[in-house]
Amino acid sequence: MKVNYGNEQTSVIIRDISVGETFFADRKSAKEKGLYMKIDGNSRLLISKKYNNYAINLETGKVKSFDLSTPVYKVVAEVSFPKK
């Protein structure tokens, strides 16, 4: 997936990001940062923990749990559909 975004990144605490917003965060399995979208932990698809937030990695599709105080880099992202 190709995601277009501006180069401006603002560091915030993940609990201050709304569901559906995108951000960069460190990945455990790779040196580069991953692009994530925050998801609703109360969707009954997850066993939600009280002090965690959840996001999906937009490259791998894997769900990751974040502590409420985790610093992340908020970005505004858009998906572009290529013309045929």
Side-chain angles (χ1 to χ4, degrees):
M1 172 191 293
K2 180 180 178 182
V3 180
N4 300 317
Y5 64 93
N7 291 330
E8 185 177 323
Q9 295 180 358
T10 306
S11 178
V12 297
I13 304 300
I14 192 167
R15 72 172 168 250
D16 296 334
I17 292 180
S18 299
V19 170
E21 291 187 314
T22 52
F23 60 92
F24 283 111
D26 291 329
R27 292 180 61 194
K28 292 179 184 176
S29 61
K31 291 184 179 183
E32 68 272 354
K33 295 187 182 306
L35 180 62
Y36 293 87
M37 181 178 73
K38 188 169 178 180
I39 60 174
D40 183 1
N42 297 321
S43 66
R44 292 199 262 177
L45 293 174
L46 302 168
I47 299 172
S48 183
K49 296 179 184 174
K50 187 174 183 177
Y51 298 106
N52 283 356
N53 280 199
Y54 298 91
I56 188 164
N57 183 310
L58 294 177
E59 180 183 1
T60 65
K62 293 183 180 179
V63 175
K64 182 175 179 181
S65 171
F66 292 88
D67 182 75
L68 288 177
S69 61
T70 302
V72 297
Y73 298 94
K74 186 175 176 179
V75 294
V76 177
E78 66 180 41
V79 176
S80 299
F81 292 98
K83 295 178 183 178
K84 289 187 175 186

